[in-house]
Each structure stands twice: as C-alpha cells, then as structure tokens.
Amino acid sequence: MLGSAAASASDPPELPSVASMKLALALHAPPKVHGAATFTEMKLCANHQSRPFWLLPDGRVILDSSSTFYKEACEFLVAISEPVCRTRFLQEYQLTHFSLYAGASMGLKTEEILGQLRKFSKLSVPIEVVTMVEECTARYGKVKLVLQKDRLYVECQDPEILEQLIRDPVLSSFRVIRQPEIETDETHALAEEANADSATAMDENYLEAARLATNEDEEGTGRMINFEVDVSKVKEVKERCSRDINWPLLEEYDFRSDTSNAEVPIELKSDTQIREYQSKALSRMFSNHRARSGIIVLPCGAGKTLVGIVAATTVKRSCLVLCNSSVSVEQWYAQFRMWTSIDEQHITKFTANNKEMPHPDACVLISTYNMISFSGHRSVEAEAIMQDIRGREWGLLLMDEVHVVPAATFLTCTTRTRSRCKLGLTATLVREDGKIEDLNFLIGPKLYEANWLELQANGYIATVSCAEVWCEMTPEFYREYLKASKAHQRLLYAMNPNKFRSCEYLIRFHEARGDKVIVFSDNVFALKKYAVKMGRPMIFGATSQNERMLWLQEFKAGGRYNTIFISKVGDTSIDIPEANVIIQIASHFGARRQEAQRLGRILRPKANAVEGFNAFFYTLISRDTQEMYYSTKRQQFLVDQGYAFKVITKLADMESSSDLSYSSREEQMELLSQVMSENAADIAAHELAEDDATQDLERRSGSGGMTAGKSVASRNKRSMSDLSGGSGLAYNEMSKKPKPAIFRERERMLKAANKARNSASIADNFL
Amino acid sequence: MAASLLEYLRGLSPIALSRLYSDPHTCQAVLRALPPLSRQYLLRLVGAHGRLAAEIVGAWPLPTAAAALEHKAALEQLVALRLVELDPVGREYALHAGLCEQIGSSICLARGAQAAEARLAADEARPSVVQLERHAQRTWEDVLQCVLTPPRRLLPLAGCGGKSTLQQLLLSLRLLEATGAEGAEGAEGVEGAAARWASTRAARRFVLLPIQEQVWRLMLEYMELTDTVQPGARDATLSFLMRLGSHAVGSDCSVHSLTELQRQVLSDLLLFGIAYQREESSPRFYATPLAHALLSGSAGLATSRRSEGFLILETNFKLYAHTSSPLWAQVIRSFARVEYVLPNLVVSSISREAIRDAVESGIEWDMIVQFLERNAHPLMAANVPVLPETVVNQVSLWAQESSRMQLADAQFYDKFESIELFDDVVQYAKDDGVYLWHKRDQQHVGHSALIVAAHGHQRMKAFLKSKK
C-alpha cells in the first residue's frame, strides 16, 4: 500500500514531547509554494490508506495503481474521465464536461458517479466536483437528437426545456420550419391550427400547444415533443447544445426494434476470439441494448478492425465503412471476409477501381473519406453508387483513423450519409490543431481508451525500446545552421553527417540481427540523399502506386532489402507488419500524433524478443538545434502512456566503424555545399509538395469519377516538377538541376529489382 | 570534514583521546561503532590481556590479496584511533592502557555500561523503536524547516548557557545569512520584528544530504560553538554522544547520572531529535536512531531500520511525494515544478527548466538523484535500478547543458593602421599563445579585427607600442 510515510491506523501514537514542541511552535507556516495548487486544507477521509485515489477540486484525479481497489477504480475512471498519464505507480485522470457526458451516456446516474467518487477518494469530495458532476450528468439524456426519414429532430419531454431550446437565438437559426404536413403527433396538429404567419408567432403557438399537450398527458408516458433542425448544421447544433447551453444531446440507436431497415446477413464466425479490452470497448458502445455513437481509442496493432467488425455484426444493419486509403479498404474487406459469415453479394468496395452497386436491401460498403467527400465530376457508375449511399439509411457508420481526417472532409462525409449510429476508431486522440473537440460533436464522446502499458504487459502489442540518439552537428554544419533560413535549417539538421553516420550504423546493426527497418524522413531531400547513398529503396509522395507495391513486396519478402526509406506518406496508409525497427531522421515539428502513429507501425507483436524488447524506435536528433525542442514535445503523448525514451549520446563502438559514410572532412564539406546549393524556395516546394502528396495519394485512389486518362493527365500537370522523376518526361525537364545522379542511381536500383522479379509490366511504368 | 564520529575521533590529539577512553561509555560506543573486523581484532587483544606479538597478528588473515587488504585496513583503523599501538620496533601490538580493563569488565558485566547507570523505577510507558524513529524524523524535519524558513523568534541553545541560539548555529554553518541591520539588536524572542535571516544557497543543498550527514554537520558545529561559550563543552558533548550511542535504541537512561553541563546539552539534543524525553521533569530519557547514525555514519543506519521512503518517480518525469510534511514541498521545489500540494501528497514534475535552475543555485544533479534514490518508496526500491534510467540520464544531460559552454574574458582589437601591422600583431599573438580569433580584411584594413585572451593584453599593448 502506498502512503506508508503517513501513519496508518494500526501504528503507535505519536510521542508527546515538550522540547520538540518548542521548535515547532517557533516555526511559521511554511510559505506556499509558488505556482502550485495548494489543497492542504482538504480533509482526509477515514481509512484513506485503503482508498485508491485523490480527487482534487479542479477535477484532477490521481490514482494509485498499488491499491487493492485499483482495477475497480480504474474502470470507473476510464468511463467518466480523460486519462492524462498512465504510468506505472501513479496515474492521472481529468474529469471534463465531455468525459462526464460520455459517462452519463453509458447510463451512469449522477448519484452513482458521486457515490463511487465518495467511496474511492482519499479526500472528501470537493464541492466544485459535486457541482460539476451534477451539472453534466443531471442534464444528460433529457434532450435527444433523432434522425427520422431524412430529417433531424431535437426531441425532449419537458416543454420548458424545449422552450428554452427554441428561444435560443443560435439554435433557432438552425431550425427548419416547414409548412405543417400530415403528422401523427397531436402537438403538430395543434400547431397547425394556430396557422401563424411569422415564425415567431408560430413558435409561441407551438410552445403553447406543446404545453397543452403535455398537461393533458399527465401520466407522462414519455410523449416527445420536437422541432426540426437543418441536417447540414448537425455539428453546430451539437456544439451549441453540449458546449454553450449545456444540454448535451443524446443519440442512441435502438437497433433491435428498428423494423424500417433490413437486416444484413452477417454473423461473427464462431472461432473468432475477442480480447478482454475489445469486449470492454464494445460493451461501452452497446450497453442497455442500444448503440451509441462515439470513439474507441486503441493503439495500432491492437485489433481496431475487429472491434469495428464486431460492432457491425451486432447492429446487423447496413454499414458504411470509411477509411483513409484504398489500401485500408482492401484490408477492411479482407478482415470482414475473414471474421464474419458475410457473402460476396452483401459486401462491396467503393474505390477508384471498384464500383459495384451495393446490395439493394442491406449491405456492408467499404470506401474512403475522399471517395465520399469528392466534390468534382463523377463517372456515371460512381454517381449512381453515390446516389445509393445518400439515399440509404445506414445503421452504422464506421470511421477508421478519425484523427487524421481533415475536419471539412469529415463534415462532408457525415452530412452526405445518414446514419443512425457512428463509431470512430483511432490510435491517438491528439491533434496539434485542437480539432479533437470537433470529433466530439461530429461523432460522439470517447467511449473507451486502452491502456498501452497494460496491453504491452499482456503481450497484445510489442514491447518497444524507445531511444533518442543525439548527434553532434559537425562544426561546419552548425556554423551554417546558425545563419541559415528556417527551411535551410531543417535541411541542415536532417543532413548532419553525424546523423547520417548514426543512421547507417543503426541500419547495419539491425540488418545484421535480421530485423526489418523503416527509416522515416519528412524531408524529401534528405530522404533521397540517405536512400541513394545507402542503396536502399524509398517511397515518397511522388512514387507511383505500382512502384510502391513493388518496393513493399521486396521489403516484405526480405533478402535483398531489409531497410526501406519512407516519407510521411507512410505514417498511416502503408501497412508493413513485418517491420520491427523504426529510425526517424526528420519529422514534422512537434506533432505528438505522428510520433505515436509511427510507433504504431511496429506495435504488432513479434516473437523474437531480445532482453524483453522486440521492437526498436529510434529518433535521431541533431544536438543544439530546434529538433531537440520538437522532439521533447513529440514524445509527450507516448511518455504519458508510460513509454520511456532513453537518450543515447554516443552509440557504442560507432567511432570504431571507420567505413561509415562521410567520415572525412572533404566528404562532409561536399555534402554541405550540396545542401547549401539547394535553393530555399525549392526546399519549401519540397515540403509543400510532400504535404500535398500525402493528400494527393488518397485523392488519386479516391477520385472515383475520373477516367483513367484524365487522372494521369492531371497528375502530369501537377508533375511535382522538381521531385517527381516518376516519369521520363519530368526527368528530362529538370535535367539542368544538379540531381541526375540521384535518379540514375534510383533507376539502376529499380532495374535491378525488376530484373530480379521479372515483372516487366511494372517496370514500364517508370522506365 | 569528518563524515562520522569515528572519523572525527581519528583527528583528535592523543591526550584528548586518552581522556575520552577513560570513560566506560565511550569505550563501549567506540567498540560498537568499529567495523566488524576491527572489532574482532580488538576483542582478540582484550582476550590476550592487551598484548600480542606482531607475528601472531600477521598470521590472522587468509592468504589472499583481498583478505590481506582487509586485515591491513582493520589494523590501520585501530591504530589511527589509538586503540592499539605497535611498539617502535614493530614486534608487538598493545591495547591502549586502561582499555583492556574497561572493555573486559563491560563484557563480563553482560549488560555493560548500562548496568552502571543509576537504578530507575520500571518504565511503564516505554516508547517503541518505531515511535522513536518517527519522533526523531519529525523533529529533524522541524530543524530543516528552520533551515529553509528561519523563524523570527530566537531559539536559545542550553548548551551555550543560553548565550547563543539555533539561528546563530545555522548562521555559522552558513545555512542562514543575516539580512537587514536588525541582526545587531539584542532583544530575544521578539515577534513582529522583520525577518532577520534568510536561508542561503548552501541551505538548499544541505536539505538534500543524507540525514545522518546533516545531523553530524550540525553537531560538529554545535560542539565548536558551545566550546567557545563554555570551555569543556566539546568534551562533555562528545562523551555524552558516545554514551547515547552505547545505549540500545529504546532503552532508558537516567538524567541523574548526568553532569550539569551534560544536562544542558541534553536539552539541545532533545530539540534536534537525537534524544527523547517525555517531559522536562522526567527522570529518564532515550536515545533515538539519530544518535546511532551519528556514531557510525552511514554504516550505522544500515544496522538500524532503514527509514521509509516516500518518493515515487515515474518515467514521465512526474515526482510524487507521499508526505504530510510541508517541508518536502519546499525541498522538492528546489529541483522540480510543484503542481499540487495535498494533505498527504505532493505532486511535481522534473523539467529542463527546473533542473537548470537547480544547477544555477548550486545543487549538483547527482545530489538530486541520490536524494531521490535514498528516499525512494518501497514500491520503487524493488526496481533495478531504483530510479527510471531514462529520467536519471536526462537529468544529468540537462544539468550538463549549462556547463558545456565556458565564458572567459578576452580582448578585442580593431582599427589597425595597416594590414602589415595587423599581420604582425596576429603573428605575435599566436607566438605568445594568447591568440583566439581574427578577421582579416585587406580592402578595409580598419575592419580587420583580432581577439586574444584577456591575460595577454598587457604584453600585446607593449608589443603594439613598440611597433609605433
């Protein structure tokens, strides 16, 4: 039990002493520690030693993992709060409005939550927290958002609440006022009688009618009164209700009693094993036999897909799966076929290459975000499918990797499809742009978040050794660094010869061990330099789909190339389960998500553990540069999940391996002059182009409407002028630039690879 | 500075030691404090009536290099403490005169020196070892609190006959410094006067030290201070400390057997938590584990129960302290950012800025690490290594950041009249070994510049003069 320093109940009493009293009396109260929140006045509860957590007035909860009630308390906290850090001995959670809504949406009542808090907290529950819990949970579930035949209604039982909502200036602006149609609802009939000219007058009558209606219905059998809101403003409506006026909207789908939508013939195969945390996550989604929208957070490799599939088999209504790349579409398709009994007629893919009409009654349809949100001209077949998607009422909308999708794309996807329930899946709910909150309104609250360390301890994900390797800048590089522009600085710290040597050393070390290494670089110039110099394949934005497939197959097959260089296009959309080592040489500023996402590439459990570790994650940092600062920031998320980043200032016996590149000063100087001759505008273009390419890749595979010819033409027009080289034409155009050597080298490598694989058809694409 | 009482004794004069060894309590205390092998040797000599031939003694160790080293160290310790003497020709080891009898008799008397204590009535409310340890720890925390936030009210020390105060003691340890002119004012115990002391940088280091080292430093200074006020107080204190150390923790001693001076010292030791007395009028007092720690330094604590750790350091640099003492929030603040102070927990996090500030205020990083390790919670103590490696590593790197660059004074020269003169001067600076940097500009000679180490300036000046 923790807290042994404090006297426990069975301990002998304190000794009375006159002498030490003298000293204690002379002491002042010690000064308050500046900057710290001091809660020393709070009362400790009886038996506080055996209680598992401290609950503070600002909603922070500190949980003791050595407590006998740890498991119970932890489950409770995960349901009602956000995990802040989950380290080994003490963990921190934060109560927020959203987390409490999420808790309430799972059916937890105000008194239950307060009761549990009182039971578990070592400190008496602060009044601030009581108020917060009451505010958040008591109002939850009173107002519902209901989708009915194309239209979206805000519904509630209490006319006073409804009145408040209707009078809200923001909400009323989203209201849709139709000429009353034939409604079964009595209130509408009454409203019709009022026959008002203006909307306001109608409101008054409407409310009056509603009041009348409920008064007549004293028994309160739960008659609902409602008003319609604009479907396209769903996010704003939710935002307004949940955040501003504190009436969180309840969205539940009672799929068992849904008779209007046909069932999909889908069953989970009987031999499917669902892990404990997966079923826990699902139980959060499906408690009390209804499905609720929300997000499930599981690390990569922990079986997110299966969770989505089980959700689909539970709802058993038409299900639309959205992923962020066509590669993922294929993976989802294969997984659906693998785990469930669904037949080919009922599951279809909708991508640039697959345009089958979905089954007319009920189906599972897998597509990409870009396919759905595409705003250009579509081909006839694509348009027909799109019509079908828009027209259908989806039982479940499954959204993969929700954190990477731009908010606008997302909004388009959710407004174009009508779904009764939405499930978002992701590995990391962190975004540097603060857009996470949007997800809350677009999808729903976070339903479950797995504990990485626990999964690791149980062997569900690989045990990763994380290290940050500090590489001294060479004096020449550092001198230039100090006076260079921002863009050049980034190039200089990526190209630091010592970093290059460290990278080379690590690759050799791990290849010799039989590991599979992915080197990540966000900087394309550096990526090319490294890959070509070391004679390893590379994949970046401008690499064609065919070439990608070729290199990935080579890499997976092993033998020739056990290392592959990938730009940020590989962060999410490329699946390489074989890899177990990652070396980052350049990364995107301080993006915590990218760091976690990349780590996820090697999280699939591997067998060959060495000293307890079976995967390795290195980040190479040029010392005394901006990189140091970014790196600390990037690691924050993983560090809070309990990962430890070891700093390596010197790689053992690297100095003795004299055959590493750039050992001599002459070579280093030549490299420096190459770096410095890069023009700043080009570097910026590189960076932009790569950002584009990350998106473009999806667009290309997703732009369903374009004919094949058009698609190529548009790509050539973009042409990535200075970085492509993917087509002979582009190569000629830019041959005046000092880069041919790179491409000759690349072609040579490609040729060799192709010869080996005897696949002339693929080679045609880029030779 | 001596790290323990035993080491301190080694530095005393033969006469002072002879005086000390005439006291049976001291003899027994020294015997207890000795490392096991030295103690064994001493007892063998006692058994041999105080004299043994050097050949016999030389044959004791096993014939291995390690054993020979241990043997040598054990004998060296005894000789340094003047417990044993080797005759000038090196043929015979002899026990210090009188020691043989003192030790022999205390062994034979079974209960040793305590038997000689005045008889006391049976003790009804004898405190337990755990209680005494807690009491000592809490009392000492109060002393540390005085170090960090010196109280305004003066705390007179009885051992100095009330002529000096705890603040004075801390002042001479350089843990406090006087602020303002009021320091000269004689009115004691006046509340409301502006704070006259502030804690120093040394104080912030002091609180991170191991507790036995803190107590020992304080007692050393205490003996110096009392001796200047009341001559003879040092010896009285020393033999009293010895006596306390010779008692088992928790067994009672009678106040009546003490000299007047020792009674005064006792009241100060009560203040520091080295001894415990229930009431001022009580006829008995007890030694706390601190008294034992004093006698033998860190080795002493290993035999006594290890005090419970309360710190938990996580891999995300969060530091949690299970404590209800406000002192620790203040101590932790010197190297970490404190986030929450709760009734029984202090939450903080170690950051680059906090470590940099700590280093700037004179705290070395390994001091912090040792402090964390020493006070690690039992849950952490099960780890190997105790503290997360990555955090320790990072702390050391942060700490070293500030020492990577060194500033040195230099002299800058420009506006040279001709490029030839400039070249000559640069050459001279290089020959003289003071050259640091230069910039040569043939078109604009005035823009050429040279920097040399500051200590070369006089010679450079002379050289420049000679050129004109």
Side-chain angles (χ1 to χ4, degrees):
Chain A
M1 183 76 32
L2 281 181
S4 59
S8 67
S10 58
D11 269 358
E14 266 185 44
L15 293 175
S17 166
V18 182
S20 56
M21 284 292 284
K22 248 197 297 188
L23 190 56
L25 275 178
L27 288 173
H28 304 274
K32 283 203 173 160
V33 177
H34 182 72
T38 308
F39 299 123
T40 38
E41 305 304 313
M42 288 177 74
K43 275 207 185 64
L44 281 168
C45 299
N47 304 325
H48 64 87
Q49 294 90 353
S50 55
R51 296 174 187 239
F53 60 66
W54 288 263
L55 172 62
L56 312 186
D58 60 0
R60 181 58 61 108
V61 184
I62 300 164
L63 173 66
D64 174 358
S65 71
S66 67
S67 160
T68 33
F69 298 106
Y70 166 69
K71 249 189 131 72
E72 218 180 326
C74 183
E75 243 162 68
F76 167 65
L77 286 178
V78 169
I80 61 153
S81 64
E82 292 284 338
V84 178
C85 49
R86 295 197 274 191
T87 35
R88 202 169 142 200
F89 302 108
L90 287 158
Q91 309 177 343
E92 291 188 28
Y93 295 82
Q94 180 72 44
L95 289 175
T96 67
H97 282 88
F98 295 123
S99 68
L100 283 167
Y101 290 158
S105 80
M106 277 166 234
L108 285 170
K109 301 274 178 298
T110 316
E111 264 321 301
E112 281 174 71
I113 295 179
L114 288 176
Q116 292 280 69
L117 289 177
R118 285 195 189 103
K119 180 174 144 201
F120 287 140
S121 178
K122 290 171 189 281
L123 304 170
S124 53
V125 176
I127 184 73
E128 293 91 332
V129 173
V130 175
T131 325
M132 183 173 166
V133 171
E134 277 172 353
E135 258 180 23
C136 293
T137 55
R139 295 165 78 107
Y140 192 89
K142 290 269 166 32
V143 188
K144 291 186 179 178
L145 192 65
V146 183
L147 180 74
Q148 252 172 17
K149 295 181 195 126
D150 268 1
R151 296 181 188 169
L152 198 62
Y153 297 96
V154 172
E155 233 180 44
C156 91
Q157 278 184 5
D158 185 345
E160 275 174 34
I161 299 174
L162 195 75
E163 183 175 346
Q164 195 189 337
L165 292 176
I166 286 182
R167 288 194 195 284
D168 181 78
V170 181
L171 273 185
S172 68
S173 69
F174 300 140
R175 224 182 124 189
V176 178
I177 297 162
R178 294 175 196 270
Q179 279 310 306
E181 294 161 40
I182 316 108
E183 296 270 358
T184 47
D185 200 295
E186 188 179 345
T187 58
H188 287 250
L190 282 167
E192 196 180 4
E193 278 165 32
N195 189 23
D197 293 323
S198 73
T200 16
M202 192 174 130
D203 277 350
E204 294 303 324
N205 293 320
Y206 178 75
L207 286 168
E208 188 56 33
R211 248 175 249 130
L212 275 173
T214 33
N215 285 343
E216 281 165 21
D217 192 28
E218 283 293 287
E219 267 92 299
T221 42
R223 184 190 299 269
M224 284 293 188
I225 44 177
N226 60 18
F227 64 90
E228 191 186 338
V229 289
D230 188 348
V231 180
S232 64
K233 293 286 192 292
V234 56
K235 180 189 157 222
E236 286 83 353
V237 170
K238 286 197 213 172
E239 250 173 24
R240 182 67 188 167
C241 289
S242 306
R243 191 176 57 194
D244 306 338
I245 57 176
N246 205 4
W247 281 110
L249 295 169
L250 180 70
E251 274 183 290
E252 276 186 348
Y253 176 31
D254 186 1
F255 56 92
R256 298 206 171 185
S257 48
D258 178 14
T259 48
S260 58
N261 291 302
E263 278 197 20
V264 182
I266 182 169
E267 290 290 347
L268 215 53
K269 284 187 185 161
S270 55
D271 57 345
T272 309
Q273 296 270 334
I274 300 174
R275 293 170 180 165
E276 187 208 355
Y277 59 90
Q278 289 170 327
S279 67
K280 208 177 281 172
L282 286 160
S283 71
R284 291 272 157 71
M285 184 179 175
F286 291 109
S287 59
N288 64 25
H289 306 307
R290 285 154 192 257
R292 62 184 57 86
S293 301
I295 301 171
I296 290 176
V297 187
L298 287 177
C300 312
K304 280 197 292 287
T305 314
L306 185 56
V307 170
I309 289 173
V310 176
T313 57
T314 312
V315 174
K316 275 202 181 50
R317 294 298 184 290
S318 285
C319 171
L320 176 60
V321 183
L322 295 180
C323 344
N324 64 347
S325 74
S326 42
V327 180
S328 308
V329 171
E330 295 297 334
Q331 278 163 12
W332 271 93
Y333 184 82
Q335 299 262 317
F336 257 103
R337 296 302 303 269
M338 186 163 111
W339 300 115
T340 72
S341 61
I342 195 159
D343 56 55
E344 271 178 45
Q345 281 93 53
H346 286 93
I347 181 163
T348 41
K349 294 173 273 187
F350 179 40
T351 62
N353 305 325
N354 288 286
K355 297 191 192 70
E356 289 166 59
M357 273 309 272
H359 194 278
D361 301 334
C363 67
V364 172
L365 180 70
I366 309 169
S367 185
T368 63
Y369 293 104
N370 289 312
M371 221 42 208
I372 303 295
S373 64
F374 181 67
S375 57
H377 179 72
R378 292 174 193 265
S379 67
V380 183
E381 345 145 58
E383 191 54 46
I385 298 174
M386 219 27 232
Q387 281 303 329
D388 185 287
I389 292 174
R390 283 170 194 261
R392 211 177 270 261
E393 190 173 299
W394 298 95
L396 178 65
L397 177 59
L398 259 175
M399 292 178 281
D400 195 16
E401 309 283 4
V402 280
H403 58 286
V404 285
V405 186
T409 313
F410 220 95
L411 187 63
T412 326
C413 288
T414 46
T415 48
R416 283 189 182 172
T417 55
R418 288 177 299 111
S419 59
R420 303 294 297 263
C421 174
K422 301 181 193 73
L423 174 62
L425 296 171
T426 179
T428 41
L429 260 191
V430 286
R431 278 177 87 125
E432 305 312 319
D433 59 3
K435 287 278 167 59
I436 282 304
E437 211 173 85
D438 281 355
L439 290 181
N440 219 316
F441 302 115
L442 289 171
I443 306 174
K446 180 171 68 190
L447 298 171
Y448 181 78
E449 183 169 353
N451 183 335
W452 293 48
L453 275 200
E454 255 173 48
L455 296 186
Q456 185 176 302
N458 291 325
Y460 294 133
I461 55 176
T463 311
V464 187
S465 153
C466 302
E468 188 177 298
V469 183
W470 287 9
C471 312
E472 298 284 345
M473 287 283 266
T474 64
E476 295 81 12
F477 270 68
Y478 198 58
R479 189 171 301 137
E480 292 302 330
Y481 171 82
L482 289 176
K483 44 188 194 201
S485 69
K486 286 270 179 263
H488 254 117
Q489 283 189 337
R490 286 199 283 276
L491 204 53
L492 281 163
Y493 57 61
M495 293 307 302
N496 172 12
N498 285 328
K499 187 187 262 194
F500 193 97
R501 288 149 51 83
S502 302
C503 180
E504 199 175 8
Y505 173 82
L506 286 171
I507 289 176
R508 275 189 205 176
F509 175 78
H510 282 288
E511 282 187 345
R513 267 178 38 119
D515 293 329
K516 295 261 180 196
V517 186
I518 306 179
V519 183
F520 274 113
S521 167
D522 272 15
N523 189 307
V524 177
F525 179 86
L527 184 82
K528 289 182 191 164
K529 265 273 175 222
Y530 273 72
V532 170
K533 182 93 183 169
M534 292 184 206
R536 303 291 196 288
M538 60 178 155
I539 292 176
F540 59 103
T543 314
S544 75
Q545 190 69 25
N546 287 332
E547 195 184 332
R548 283 172 200 224
M549 297 306 273
L550 173 74
W551 289 136
L552 288 177
Q553 272 164 24
E554 274 280 340
F555 180 73
K556 284 177 192 177
R560 283 180 69 80
Y561 300 113
N562 291 311
T563 300
I564 190 164
F565 284 75
I566 301 183
S567 77
K568 69 171 118 180
V569 296
D571 284 359
T572 54
S573 47
I574 293 176
D575 189 58
I576 316 167
E578 290 79 7
N580 65 338
V581 178
I582 281 182
I583 303 174
Q584 282 195 103
I585 50 177
S587 38
H588 186 254
F589 305 108
R592 291 168 293 169
R593 167 170 60 81
Q594 193 185 43
E595 192 90 349
Q597 203 73 46
R598 285 187 174 167
L599 179 74
R601 304 290 96 200
I602 51 172
L603 274 183
R604 272 174 227 285
K606 316 275 185 317
N608 58 333
V610 174
E611 286 168 25
F613 293 113
N614 43 21
F616 300 85
F617 185 75
Y618 298 96
T619 307
L620 306 189
I621 304 288
S622 285
R623 213 170 169 190
D624 304 308
T625 66
Q626 275 287 307
E627 261 189 320
M628 300 273 284
Y629 162 76
Y630 289 135
S631 135
T632 316
K633 197 163 166 274
R634 292 168 59 84
Q635 290 161 5
Q636 199 53 52
F637 173 76
L638 291 175
V639 163
D640 280 338
Q641 296 299 328
Y643 280 91
F645 278 81
K646 187 162 63 192
V647 174
I648 300 176
T649 44
K650 252 202 174 80
L651 287 164
D653 62 72
M654 189 182 101
E655 290 311 312
S656 58
S657 357
S658 54
D659 52 339
L660 292 173
S661 308
Y662 300 114
S663 304
S664 72
R665 192 160 176 279
E666 290 69 44
E667 285 174 288
Q668 293 182 4
M669 290 311 284
E670 196 196 319
L671 179 65
L672 180 62
S673 74
Q674 282 169 8
V675 170
M676 293 318 291
S677 67
E678 274 294 297
N679 127 10
D682 282 354
I683 302 173
H686 266 140
E687 286 169 357
L688 271 180
E690 195 61 16
D691 274 342
D692 258 14
T694 317
Q695 303 272 318
D696 192 53
L697 153 79
E698 311 310 337
R699 209 165 293 139
R700 250 186 284 149
S701 62
S703 54
M706 293 177 182
T707 63
K710 256 185 182 168
S711 157
V712 169
S714 101
R715 185 146 61 90
N716 280 352
K717 210 164 70 198
R718 301 176 67 90
S719 96
M720 311 280 155
S721 57
D722 50 346
L723 54 79
S724 162
S727 67
L729 188 69
Y731 167 58
N732 282 334
E733 271 177 6
M734 40 167 286
S735 55
K736 48 186 174 282
K737 299 244 168 193
K739 273 186 236 159
I742 296 174
F743 291 107
R744 267 203 298 278
E745 177 70 6
R746 199 163 86 108
E747 278 173 50
R748 193 189 56 72
M749 281 163 56
L750 278 173
K751 247 183 216 157
N754 277 312
K755 222 159 117 194
R757 299 195 58 80
N758 244 339
S759 53
S761 60
I762 299 174
D764 285 343
N765 275 304
F766 37 79
L767 288 181
Chain B
M1 191 200 71
S4 71
L5 197 53
L6 225 46
E7 258 184 69
Y8 177 72
L9 290 181
R10 290 169 65 148
L12 291 183
S13 69
I15 302 159
L17 279 174
S18 286
R19 215 162 45 224
L20 277 172
Y21 292 156
S22 64
D23 176 32
H25 299 298
T26 310
C27 292
Q28 205 175 3
V30 170
L31 185 64
R32 270 170 190 265
L34 280 175
L37 195 61
S38 300
R39 186 161 51 210
Q40 167 80 335
Y41 286 2
L42 191 72
L43 289 176
R44 285 186 188 184
L45 274 162
V46 171
H49 300 289
R51 279 176 194 282
L52 270 177
E55 312 159 23
I56 300 177
V57 175
W60 283 346
L62 288 172
T64 65
L69 270 178
E70 276 182 58
H71 171 78
K72 209 173 149 225
L75 274 180
E76 194 268 338
Q77 173 77 298
L78 293 177
V79 173
L81 284 166
R82 295 181 202 282
L83 292 165
V84 170
E85 250 173 38
L86 185 62
D87 66 16
V89 282
R91 244 189 289 153
E92 196 182 49
Y93 284 101
L95 217 50
H96 186 276
L99 207 62
C100 191
E101 197 184 322
Q102 294 277 18
I103 294 176
S105 69
S106 65
I107 292 170
C108 296
L109 280 170
R111 281 192 57 232
Q114 282 144 56
E117 293 272 348
R119 302 284 180 274
L120 277 170
D123 190 3
E124 293 103 41
R126 174 191 293 250
S128 72
V129 177
V130 178
Q131 277 179 313
L132 281 173
E133 185 169 342
R134 290 241 168 88
H135 170 79
Q137 201 169 329
R138 210 168 5 253
T139 314
W140 187 252
E141 275 174 13
D142 285 342
V143 174
L144 292 183
Q145 191 71 70
C146 286
V147 170
L148 287 181
T149 33
R152 287 177 196 163
R153 192 164 75 190
L154 291 168
L155 289 157
L157 292 174
C160 306
K163 290 196 192 84
S164 194
T165 60
L166 178 62
Q167 282 90 340
Q168 207 63 49
L169 180 63
L170 298 178
L171 208 59
S172 47
L173 270 168
R174 298 207 181 80
L175 299 179
L176 300 186
E177 58 194 3
T179 56
E182 284 162 299
E185 203 178 294
E188 284 182 10
V190 179
E191 285 277 3
R196 280 174 270 183
W197 300 278
S199 80
T200 61
R201 284 161 61 127
R204 288 191 283 279
R205 293 161 51 91
F206 182 79
V207 291
L208 293 175
L209 292 173
I211 187 162
Q212 64 270 22
E213 199 173 328
Q214 294 168 347
V215 178
W216 175 243
R217 281 194 188 192
L218 186 93
M219 285 315 297
L220 267 185
E221 196 62 38
Y222 176 83
M223 288 191 280
E224 294 303 317
L225 188 71
T226 47
D227 210 50
T228 51
V229 182
Q230 301 199 65
R234 186 205 330 241
D235 282 358
T237 311
L238 203 53
S239 64
F240 188 37
L241 284 178
M242 291 288 194
R243 181 166 167 182
L244 274 178
S246 75
H247 284 279
V249 174
S251 66
D252 52 350
C253 326
S254 162
V255 174
H256 304 298
S257 62
L258 299 178
T259 63
E260 183 50 37
L261 194 57
Q262 282 180 331
R263 283 185 203 195
Q264 290 173 1
V265 171
L266 174 65
S267 84
D268 290 337
L269 295 188
L270 296 175
L271 199 67
F272 302 149
I274 296 171
Y276 169 71
Q277 189 178 23
R278 194 167 290 117
E279 284 162 44
E280 261 173 292
S281 57
S282 298
R284 50 169 69 86
F285 65 95
Y286 309 85
T288 72
L290 281 187
H292 279 248
L294 261 184
L295 203 59
S296 42
S298 49
L301 265 205
T303 53
S304 82
R305 214 163 61 87
R306 205 193 134 117
S307 62
E308 290 158 330
F310 59 99
L311 294 177
I312 286 197
L313 179 62
E314 295 277 14
T315 46
N316 63 346
F317 296 83
K318 282 258 183 173
L319 177 66
Y320 300 90
H322 288 280
T323 174
S324 42
S325 157
L327 169 75
W328 298 112
Q330 257 182 298
V331 173
I332 288 168
R333 194 182 60 147
S334 66
F335 60 85
R337 195 169 55 85
V338 178
E339 292 168 3
Y340 295 105
V341 185
L342 308 179
N344 59 350
L345 184 76
V346 178
V347 181
S348 58
S349 64
I350 297 179
S351 66
R352 180 166 170 249
E353 287 69 35
I355 293 294
R356 198 187 50 206
D357 292 350
V359 170
E360 266 170 26
S361 69
I363 299 172
E364 288 110 27
W365 70 271
D366 46 350
M367 240 173 139
I368 300 171
V369 169
Q370 280 159 19
F371 172 79
L372 296 175
E373 203 164 46
R374 208 167 40 238
N375 294 297
H377 192 280
L379 277 177
M380 302 263 310
N383 291 353
V384 181
V386 174
L387 302 177
E389 228 179 326
T390 49
V391 178
V392 174
N393 205 343
Q394 185 69 69
V395 165
S396 83
L397 287 167
W398 279 332
Q400 284 157 26
E401 257 173 34
S402 46
S403 57
R404 289 177 65 206
M405 207 182 285
Q406 278 176 351
L407 296 182
D409 289 336
Q411 190 68 42
F412 180 81
Y413 306 92
D414 66 348
K415 302 204 173 71
F416 287 93
E417 280 143 29
S418 71
I419 198 75
E420 291 75 25
L421 174 67
F422 177 73
D423 289 342
D424 279 354
V425 175
V426 170
Q427 194 52 49
Y428 178 79
K430 282 181 176 166
D431 294 344
D432 198 32
V434 294
Y435 165 85
L436 294 173
W437 176 88
H438 82 280
K439 183 183 80 174
R440 192 172 185 275
D441 190 335
Q442 196 144 15
Q443 260 96 52
H444 311 91
V445 177
H447 291 176
S448 295
L450 168 72
I451 298 178
V452 303
H455 65 85
H457 181 50
Q458 286 309 322
R459 287 192 299 279
M460 290 299 289
K461 231 163 59 181
F463 179 73
L464 279 164
K465 216 174 236 171
S466 74
K467 279 282 168 185
K468 275 180 189 166

